[in-house]
Amino acid sequence: MSADEPPQARERERVLDTVDRVSEMCFGLFMALTFVGTVSAATGGEDAGRKMLFTALGCNLAWGLADAVMYLVRTIADRARRHALALAVQRERDAAAGVRALRERVSAALDPFISDADLEAIRKRIAASETLPERARFVRADFLAALAIFIIIVLSTFPVAAPFVIFTHVPTALLISRVLTLAMLFICGFALGGYAGWSGWKAGLSMMALGVLLTMAIIALGG
């Protein structure tokens, strides 16, 4: 096992984390919902539903691609920063300076619980490592994670836009679209509540309320 594997493993776990999946799903829902809400009133004709679906899908395809690419950018930047720290600690001959460098990277929340002796033990392991790579690199899991983000955002289009294809009556389609979106937001909130140790029902209802408020704010701001 190389010294760079544990951070990569944490990256893979973070991608599959409930918070990330819920966040990406909600982002896709909000994008599609606000777009459908602003366009539906001006859309008419026999092909209105199909145009609505394709337009909303195109919007989320673009945002899904952007979000996936930015995930890769964030991933390699974070990994490069960790790698630079490991190299700096390994090359630092002054043990106290190495400990200080590690201390600067400890989060404020964990700082009181990590002693200098703990950091010194970490410094020694890094200094003794012979498997540090020359530079930070992408791994296969990074691209799979980016693909997953893209797919989640794209799939979130359909509960919002598909009713406009199924129902020709726009007000009916709009109502069903909003009901499905609220149901999806509730499911996301319920899952998030279970992950965080909160009440699933309260978290689901709170997510629904938050979704309504965010959608209203985004539409009001011209989104």
Side-chain angles (χ1 to χ4, degrees):
M1 178 181 293
S2 70
D4 200 38
E5 285 181 357
Q8 292 170 359
R10 287 194 293 271
E11 290 291 340
R12 290 196 294 270
E13 291 173 1
R14 188 176 68 179
V15 169
L16 299 177
D17 192 275
T18 301
V19 176
D20 292 293
R21 286 182 291 178
V22 167
S23 298
E24 297 298 341
M25 177 64 72
C26 289
F27 175 74
L29 288 171
F30 293 149
M31 288 299 301
L33 183 62
T34 53
F35 187 85
V36 165
T38 54
V39 176
S40 60
T43 305
E46 294 182 357
D47 294 332
R50 192 169 299 175
K51 291 178 181 177
M52 179 73 67
L53 175 61
F54 289 152
T55 308
L57 183 59
C59 175
N60 272 11
L61 279 170
W63 281 108
L65 178 61
D67 209 24
V69 171
M70 290 311 300
Y71 166 80
L72 291 175
V73 171
R74 185 178 69 249
T75 296
I76 196 62
D78 288 343
R79 188 168 298 152
R81 190 181 180 206
R82 292 195 302 267
H83 181 261
L85 173 63
L87 285 180
V89 171
Q90 188 178 61
R91 294 168 181 172
E92 178 59 63
R93 296 183 178 279
D94 184 357
V99 169
R100 285 196 300 271
L102 291 172
R103 174 68 66 185
E104 290 174 359
R105 293 293 302 276
V106 175
S107 68
L110 295 177
D111 190 64
F113 306 102
I114 300 178
S115 67
D116 285 349
D118 296 327
L119 295 177
E120 172 60 15
I122 296 174
R123 187 201 66 79
K124 287 181 177 179
R125 286 197 296 271
I126 295 175
S129 175
E130 298 179 355
T131 56
L132 280 177
E134 294 181 2
R135 61 181 181 275
R137 296 184 177 89
F138 285 115
V139 295
R140 179 172 176 269
D142 298 329
F143 298 102
L144 292 177
L147 178 62
I149 289 172
F150 176 78
I151 291 174
I152 288 173
I153 293 178
V154 171
L155 290 181
S156 65
T157 307
F158 293 97
V160 181
F164 291 91
V165 176
I166 300 173
F167 301 93
T168 57
H169 189 241
V170 173
T172 300
L174 186 59
L175 175 62
I176 294 175
S177 171
R178 288 172 175 169
V179 169
L180 289 175
T181 303
L182 290 175
M184 292 294 294
L185 288 173
F186 177 83
I187 293 172
C188 289
F190 192 92
L192 187 62
Y195 175 82
W198 304 331
S199 168
W201 286 94
K202 290 182 179 179
L205 294 174
S206 297
M207 183 64 78
M208 288 174 59
L210 178 62
V212 172
L213 291 175
L214 280 175
T215 301
M216 292 172 59
I218 292 171
I219 292 176
L221 293 171

